Amino acid sequence: MAPSNVLGAGIHGQAFRDLLSISAPQAGEEIVMRAARTLDVTSGAEPLAAWLTNIRLRRTILRERRLGAPSNKIAEAQVHRNLCRAILGSLSTLWLIEGQIPGGETLDCVELVREGDEPRPAVRFSSVIHGDVEAFGAVVADVASRLVAIGQSPSGIAPALMESNGAIGLLAPYFILARHGIEARPLSSAIDAFLRETAPHWRQAVRLPFLAASLSGAVEMAQPGRAVIRATCCAKYACGQRGFCGTCPKRLQDERA
């Protein structure tokens, strides 16, 4: 799959391609491959509706407990985090590269495939259409509303945590750029513009240190190399031997470089 003229993504697709053009070649290969995989026809794919049934969720939550989550609530947060990364990350990658969005009802059109022991399932879209920024934002909001069903504990998953999980998941293609040579400063502006139009309710769910630095006139940041920090911790570090996630606000200063 070669990047199209990105009819739907408009200025955001162009800004993303501009960053992609100055990143390492591996970034383009990884991003285009991820976008292409969302359109693959594969056996074993199940619609999102099947993954959000009570029985399936209970099994997935128990799996997280076996992997070290100390409570059902923290296990649910990990399930929510993983599905946000899988679904929203695939959604934004396809839109930024091809300008396309799922073309049917979210619960039926978004399909997932468990691949071995991977924490996040692979995502497929059974049909796609070109969609502008408004249509893309509507799909993002719909996915987020569906994933609320994961919070099955009496107190559920905190709304602020769901928002941070959602924002981090949506920004997955930008993290690929960061891994392959794009510095945090240009990423901060592109990410802020992207969130402002596609998911404005999630702008406060992440912190963009280098954007704050440019606004304040600061020359150096205390968190070098980190383009995005989540506003609310997902507690992954509390789950067995998994440690802190890359955007964790609780990581020690000397671990952030």
Side-chain angles (χ1 to χ4, degrees):
M1 175 191 294
S4 70
N5 58 6
V6 197
L7 297 174
I11 60 172
H12 300 293
Q14 183 60 56
F16 188 82
R17 292 199 309 277
D18 289 345
L19 290 173
L20 189 59
S21 70
I22 59 174
S23 66
Q26 293 88 339
E29 295 169 6
E30 184 176 345
I31 289 168
V32 170
M33 182 179 297
R34 179 165 187 174
R37 288 179 65 193
T38 66
L39 305 179
D40 287 346
V41 176
T42 184
S43 60
E46 294 182 289
L48 180 59
W51 282 68
L52 295 180
T53 61
N54 287 339
I55 292 176
R56 175 62 71 86
L57 285 176
R58 282 198 293 270
R59 289 175 181 170
T60 308
I61 291 164
L62 286 174
R63 179 179 180 272
E64 288 295 329
R65 292 300 303 270
R66 290 194 298 271
L67 291 173
S71 69
N72 284 350
K73 185 170 183 176
I74 292 179
E76 290 167 15
Q78 303 316 301
V79 174
H80 186 269
R81 174 181 180 271
N82 290 337
L83 286 182
C84 281
R85 291 292 296 271
I87 299 172
L88 293 173
S90 296
L91 181 67
S92 58
T93 301
L94 181 66
W95 187 68
L96 288 166
I97 292 295
E98 293 293 325
Q100 294 178 325
I101 59 174
E105 289 292 326
T106 301
L107 287 175
D108 299 323
C109 187
V110 175
E111 299 179 339
L112 299 102
V113 183
R114 171 66 68 188
E115 297 185 337
D117 293 328
E118 290 294 317
R120 295 189 295 272
V123 175
R124 308 284 188 269
F125 301 132
S126 59
S127 66
V128 293
I129 58 174
H130 278 94
D132 60 15
V133 67
E134 184 176 356
F136 175 75
V139 175
V140 169
D142 189 41
V143 170
S145 70
R146 305 297 186 179
L147 297 185
V148 170
I150 295 170
Q152 295 192 324
S153 294
S155 56
I157 304 172
L161 176 52
M162 286 192 287
E163 290 174 359
S164 281
N165 283 345
I168 294 297
L170 194 65
L171 296 177
Y174 294 94
F175 290 123
I176 294 174
L177 291 180
R179 291 202 308 270
H180 293 288
I182 299 299
E183 295 180 355
R185 286 177 176 82
L187 272 181
S188 291
S189 295
I191 286 171
D192 189 56
F194 173 71
L195 287 178
R196 187 185 307 119
E197 279 204 70
T198 63
H201 52 295
W202 284 347
R203 284 183 74 200
Q204 301 304 313
V206 295
R207 299 167 185 160
L208 303 172
F210 283 94
L211 182 64
S214 64
L215 294 176
S216 66
V219 177
E220 296 294 334
M221 283 301 299
Q223 296 138 338
R226 302 188 74 197
V228 181
I229 298 173
R230 59 166 57 238
T232 305
C233 179
C234 69
K236 176 188 171 185
Y237 71 91
C239 300
Q241 302 300 314
R242 286 189 246 183
F244 294 100
C245 74
T247 59
C248 184
K250 294 186 177 182
R251 286 170 65 184
L252 297 176
Q253 180 62 41
D254 59 358
E255 294 177 322
R256 289 175 169 171

